[in-house]
Amino acid sequence: VSLVTTPGILLRSHPYSETSAVLRFLTPEHGIVAVMAKGIRKRGPRGGVPIETLGEGVLTFRYDPARDLHTLREFQSAGGSLALGRDLRRFVGACLVAELLLGHALEHGDAQLYAWVRHVLGRLGKVPQEEVPPWILSGAWRTLALLGFPPGLDRCVRCDGALGDPGGTAAPDRFDVEAGGIRCFSCSEGTRLPRIGPEARGQLRALVEGEPPELLSAPRAHLNLLEAFCARHVAPRQGIHSFGMLRPLFEQS
Ligand SMILES: [Zn+2]
């Protein structure tokens, strides 16, 4: 048993007893770490500042290699609220990112993933209202890509042919959720898969790359596509709860 000190983002907190809670943190070097926080519900964490869900700080825990659950010793908040708690849509969007992460064991650290999650939570707390949907979608898509589930956007997922019709006269390409990417227009013929034109494909690529466009032409269609993709490729058996809350919130701009 050794003491480990690391930055971490609190993804989820579950009450354990009257006084304790199990906290799951994303960390840059240790992946997702679950710690028992004894007494936290009664007197708060050692260090004084309450731990905000999706907030960042530095945690010190007793690492027990024989177990999956370690023991929190101390938590120091990084200070400066992420400002997610004041706006339901921003908060639920951030919860979606957390849910996608928690669906994976993530036993090893991934500094790039950590930096991305930190970045997207920061942006979600700050960007103007109209940029919230693109940031939520980008938060989810890039997180999926970094977890190893990127959508196929470069070649047809069926025939490996080029996408998009240079002449612009053919039927549109379509997104094949089962196959995890786009089908060219000739492989799309006769299907009822969702259409995805060159503009939407460019927007989706930007979302996956973590550089969302300021304005999306059809945010609700993007959300539907993301939800279908998650349901097919990454959803735990019980589904991803954040979508149910996000759908009505996406109607507002
Ligand atoms: Zn094809």
Side-chain angles (χ1 to χ4, degrees):
V1 177
S2 56
L3 274 186
V4 175
T5 296
T6 172
I9 296 168
L10 179 60
L11 298 179
R12 188 173 285 172
S13 163
H14 280 295
Y16 181 77
S17 64
E18 293 278 306
T19 57
S20 301
V22 173
L23 310 180
R24 285 187 167 76
F25 287 92
L26 179 69
T27 69
E29 281 178 41
H30 308 277
I32 291 179
V33 171
V35 296
M36 175 67 78
K38 288 176 185 159
I40 196 168
R41 302 182 65 205
K42 204 169 169 189
R43 53 173 163 71
R46 234 184 270 183
V49 190
I51 311 180
E52 232 179 315
T53 302
L54 301 164
E56 195 192 24
V58 175
L59 61 147
T60 299
F61 63 94
R62 284 166 62 90
Y63 173 76
D64 181 348
R67 302 188 58 198
D68 290 332
L69 185 61
H70 312 290
T71 308
L72 184 70
R73 284 284 298 271
E74 195 176 333
F75 180 83
Q76 295 287 345
S77 168
S81 152
L82 282 166
L84 290 166
R86 292 198 295 270
D87 180 309
L88 182 61
R89 190 167 58 158
R90 294 168 197 262
F91 185 73
V92 177
C95 288
L96 171 62
V97 173
E99 237 189 309
L100 294 173
L101 292 164
L102 287 163
H104 295 79
L106 284 182
E107 287 170 9
H108 303 286
D110 180 337
Q112 191 190 8
L113 178 64
Y114 187 85
W116 163 249
V117 172
R118 190 172 186 275
H119 175 66
V120 74
L121 295 182
R123 297 308 297 159
L124 273 176
K126 281 193 201 102
V127 293
Q129 280 296 345
E130 62 272 19
E131 290 181 39
V132 172
W135 273 99
I136 291 173
L137 292 161
S138 190
W141 275 120
R142 181 150 185 80
T143 299
L144 288 173
L146 293 174
L147 287 170
F149 301 92
L153 305 178
D154 297 322
R155 313 284 299 176
C156 172
V157 287
R158 211 157 175 239
C159 72
D160 202 38
L163 295 173
D165 168 32
T169 52
D173 296 338
R174 291 173 185 263
F175 197 97
D176 182 341
V177 169
E178 285 293 312
I182 299 177
R183 280 192 192 195
C184 70
F185 69 89
S186 55
C187 291
S188 295
E189 242 175 88
T191 72
R192 290 164 160 265
L193 299 168
R195 294 158 169 242
I196 181 159
E199 189 194 354
R201 176 157 57 103
Q203 290 181 342
L204 184 52
R205 174 173 286 111
L207 295 173
V208 173
E209 286 169 356
E211 288 164 8
E214 282 179 21
L215 204 65
L216 285 172
S217 44
R220 187 57 197 264
H222 272 287
L223 186 69
N224 290 343
L225 182 63
L226 172 67
E227 183 174 4
F229 185 91
C230 288
R232 175 63 186 85
H233 295 285
V234 293
R237 205 173 305 161
Q238 67 274 21
I240 295 172
H241 301 297
S242 305
F243 283 114
M245 294 184 71
L246 264 181
R247 261 180 260 123
L249 296 170
F250 247 60
E251 303 298 349
Q252 29 172 293
S253 57

